[in-house]
Amino acid sequence: MDKVTTLAHPNIALVKYWGKRDEQLNLPAVGSISVTLDELQTRTTIEKLIGKCQDEIIFNDVIADEKEAEKIRKYIDLFREKSNEKIYLKVATSNNFPTSAGLASSASGFAALAKGLSEIFELKLNAQELSRIARLGSGSAARSIFGGYVQLHKGILPSGEDCFAEQILTADDFPLKTIIAITDKTPKKVSSRKGMKESQQTSPYYNSWVESSDNDLLVMKKAIIEKDFFTIAEISIQSCLKMHSVMMTTQPPLIYWNSKTFAIIEQVLKMYNEKFPVFFTIDAGPQVKIFTFEGEEKKIIENLKNLNLIDEHFVIGIGKGIETIED
Ligand code: DP6
């Protein structure tokens, strides 16, 4: 195969990943559970280059800067080593979602790349192997290999063999909706990778965060299988606030929220406490991701708009895993 195009979607974690047990192999210190999003996608086309001795990397139709390109070339090296084939490639990637959405484009980016490279180098990797190799690019990418509700196992082996993701339920099994409330469009100041390293080194709460995550994973997995919305909500809110407590107690403090983020949390909690089916989660940025049942999203958006808390938002369903498409 000389050319391939793949699609992957970003995901949002309900039980969060923050911290690593091995930096070199990018092994997480905690397992995580996420939902893969529909509509938003990364599209990656990979072509073999004839007579060239360097990969060409293009992001959203523009040649990638050297730092980004080097990261991708190193990642492609893994596949060159695995296949023993010294071919160079043109990799063109584009996202149909703005970076302001605060969605880890590295998750869909490395998932699409892992699938495409596996096809180009004819490695015939199954989904579990793809998830493992996507993880080497970015931890959250291991989850975007699958659609629906997905668990990434942290594993215990030093090799990382047992660190891969698996699907818990498909999107159709339990079709929730996500509202992504944009509160600030400026790029985040500290990346997840750098931030989690600092937390691990300095937050006094880091160890209890790691210890408490096993129980969150058990309860969340059961709640997803049972489609128990309010338990999913409770654990998701807890996991998010615990992760942000670790972030905030990092030295120097990692405060990703702004006043609107906080005001939205208050409103969502108010509705949740009145037994409205809604909950929130927040990643390493100020945007709030709000989950609810299909058909209930209007009430939440109206409420937040009336209080001037959102300027822009996206409503997104739950999506599928990676796919290869005909160009
Ligand atoms: C806050 O997967 O971006 O979004 O493995 O270093 O690439 P690396 O980190 P990344 O971290 C995601 C952190 C998070 C929580 C989550 O998605 O679980």
Side-chain angles (χ1 to χ4, degrees):
M1 182 182 289
D2 293 330
K3 188 177 175 186
V4 68
T5 297
T6 53
L7 294 182
H9 304 277
N11 67 74
I12 299 176
L14 303 180
V15 177
K16 302 292 192 187
Y17 147 46
W18 195 252
K20 299 185 199 280
R21 69 178 171 94
D22 184 314
E23 224 181 303
Q24 216 60 40
L25 292 173
N26 203 31
L27 297 171
V30 291
S32 50
I33 292 180
S34 59
V35 288
T36 301
L37 300 178
D38 202 3
E39 290 114 356
L40 308 182
Q41 69 185 31
T42 296
R43 181 194 180 99
T44 297
T45 299
I46 308 178
E47 255 174 280
K48 285 184 183 166
L49 291 173
I50 312 290
K52 297 261 173 96
C53 53
Q54 197 177 40
D55 305 304
E56 287 174 25
I57 316 295
I58 296 162
F59 277 145
N60 289 330
D61 299 323
V62 177
I63 295 176
D65 68 55
E66 254 326 285
K67 201 174 151 218
E68 280 301 313
E70 215 23 56
K71 203 163 113 191
I72 305 297
R73 287 189 193 114
K74 281 216 175 101
Y75 188 68
I76 303 173
D77 282 342
L78 296 173
F79 289 76
R80 275 189 277 262
E81 276 160 33
K82 230 177 158 46
S83 65
N84 238 332
E85 260 207 274
K86 224 165 170 47
I87 47 167
Y88 290 89
L89 306 169
K90 178 179 172 189
V91 177
T93 289
S94 55
N95 293 327
N96 75 347
F97 54 95
T99 43
S100 65
L103 289 156
S105 53
S106 64
S108 49
F110 277 105
L113 191 58
K115 174 71 177 161
L117 291 172
S118 145
E119 297 286 321
I120 281 280
F121 286 96
E122 291 172 24
L123 290 176
K124 299 197 168 52
L125 302 180
N126 63 31
Q128 195 182 98
E129 290 163 329
L130 273 175
S131 173
R132 239 184 256 124
I133 205 157
R135 187 207 73 231
L136 291 169
S138 185
S140 48
R143 302 185 307 233
S144 275
I145 298 296
F146 301 93
Y149 297 74
V150 180
Q151 177 162 17
L152 173 60
H153 304 285
K154 69 172 180 195
I156 50 165
L157 297 175
S159 65
E161 275 301 291
D162 53 353
C163 178
F164 54 82
E166 272 179 321
Q167 187 180 62
I168 303 174
L169 283 187
T170 66
D172 291 342
D173 288 333
F174 195 39
L176 295 182
K177 286 276 183 196
T178 312
I179 303 159
I180 300 182
I182 308 292
T183 63
D184 182 2
K185 288 179 157 185
T186 49
K188 66 180 160 197
K189 291 174 199 85
V190 182
S191 71
S192 298
R193 186 156 299 192
K194 186 165 181 277
M196 64 176 85
K197 189 171 177 182
E198 291 174 2
S199 292
Q200 195 155 355
Q201 288 165 344
T202 63
S203 170
Y205 299 151
Y206 180 78
N207 289 339
S208 34
W209 152 253
V210 172
E211 277 160 28
S212 74
S213 85
D214 282 342
N215 191 53
D216 288 348
L217 290 161
L218 278 176
V219 180
M220 179 62 90
K221 184 176 179 184
K222 184 168 179 282
I224 289 172
I225 291 168
E226 290 172 357
K227 300 175 197 168
D228 172 355
F229 183 92
F230 282 98
T231 304
I232 295 173
E234 187 191 315
I235 300 297
S236 186
I237 293 170
Q238 269 290 305
S239 176
C240 166
L241 294 179
K242 281 192 284 188
M243 179 181 77
H244 282 274
S245 305
V246 171
M247 290 165 162
M248 287 179 193
T249 50
T250 296
Q251 285 294 352
L254 292 166
I255 301 177
Y256 288 107
W257 299 356
N258 59 37
S259 52
K260 278 194 177 169
T261 314
F262 199 79
I264 295 174
I265 293 176
E266 267 189 311
Q267 284 309 312
V268 173
L269 281 179
K270 196 167 162 235
M271 293 180 89
Y272 170 77
N273 288 332
E274 285 160 6
K275 302 277 177 279
F276 190 87
V278 66
F279 67 90
F280 65 88
T281 188
I282 304 159
D283 292 301
Q287 327 309 359
V288 187
K289 288 107 185 200
I290 303 164
F291 285 84
T292 190
F293 286 126
E294 232 166 354
E296 301 286 11
E297 55 274 23
K298 257 200 173 149
K299 272 186 216 147
I300 302 163
I301 295 164
E302 259 165 39
N303 183 16
L304 298 178
K305 275 196 168 163
N306 288 342
L307 294 162
N308 261 331
L309 293 176
I310 41 171
D311 306 323
E312 204 180 322
H313 68 273
F314 304 88
V315 178
I316 302 160
I318 301 181
K320 292 189 290 199
I322 36 149
E323 49 189 316
T324 304
I325 56 159
E326 297 291 327
D327 239 349

